[in-house]
Amino acid sequence: MSQKVLVLNQDYSALTICSMPKAFLLVYLNKAELIAESSTARLHSISQSFPFPSVIRLNRYVYFPYKGVVLTRQNIFKRDGNRCQYCGSSDHLTLDHVLPKSRQGRTSWDNLTTACKYCNSKKGDKTPEEAGMHLNRQPFKPSFVMFLRNFSGILDNQWMPFVGAKHEKIQ
């Protein structure tokens, strides 16, 4: 029952991800329609069998003013593949301000990157260029759909028509 379900707005745009029981309840109460079902499992009651939802669409449009990815330490790590963006290490990860805070560097998606403790202390209070270090990938702000598709780790193949194919951001 830990399976996740993609929830689409009435216009078929990706809205969120919810649990399978929540999705089943929305479909059962006619608040959403089943778009795609799981081919591996079914939900059984005493007298009936129901498909596990994989993608559902809400029957009413939900106005969602801001659909962005929250800037958190874990989301930065996910965006960067849990790897230091200077040396590629996956041990002792920290956050690094590309333009240091002491030089008015902002705490934002475009200025934060994942770095191991060694690279972060080597870089210190300098820019990567001044420290003679190269970023493997420039930091960027992922869109909500890009984050669902590339970084959530729970992508189901049946979601592809609604969230698109996986593409790396090229800098």
Side-chain angles (χ1 to χ4, degrees), residues 3-24:
Q3 180 181 346
K4 298 295 182 186
V5 179
L6 177 65
V7 179
L8 305 175
N9 217 337
Q10 188 181 26
D11 64 355
Y12 288 88
S13 61
L15 190 61
T16 191
I17 296 173
C18 74
S19 67
M20 197 288 301
K22 174 74 174 177
F24 177 77

Side-chain angles (χ1 to χ4, degrees), residues 129-144:
E129 294 78 26
E130 293 169 347
M133 300 172 76
H134 173 71
L135 271 170
N136 293 332
R137 181 171 64 183
Q138 289 296 316
F140 64 94
K141 181 178 182 177
S143 70
F144 176 72

Side-chain angles (χ1 to χ4, degrees), residues 29-84:
L29 295 174
N30 291 321
K31 295 183 183 239
E33 72 173 292
L34 183 66
I35 300 296
E37 60 187 64
S38 171
S39 58
T40 58
R42 293 187 68 78
L43 186 63
H44 299 279
S45 72
I46 293 174
S47 60
Q48 288 184 303
S49 177
F50 303 95
F52 267 41
S54 178
V55 180
I56 64 170
R57 183 180 72 94
L58 298 177
N59 290 336
R60 290 182 170 226
Y61 186 82
V62 175
Y63 176 70
F64 213 68
Y66 177 69
K67 246 191 326 193
V69 182
V70 178
L71 178 65
T72 65
R73 177 184 193 86
Q74 292 306 316
N75 285 346
I76 296 283
F77 289 168
K78 284 179 185 177
R79 179 200 65 191
D80 294 341
N82 290 302
R83 296 249 173 235
C84 173

Side-chain angles (χ1 to χ4, degrees), residues 76-77 80 83-86 93-95 112-116:
I76 296 283
F77 289 168
D80 294 341
R83 296 249 173 235
C84 173
Q85 294 303 295
Y86 297 104
L93 298 178
T94 64
L95 290 182
L112 284 173
T113 192
T114 304
C116 66

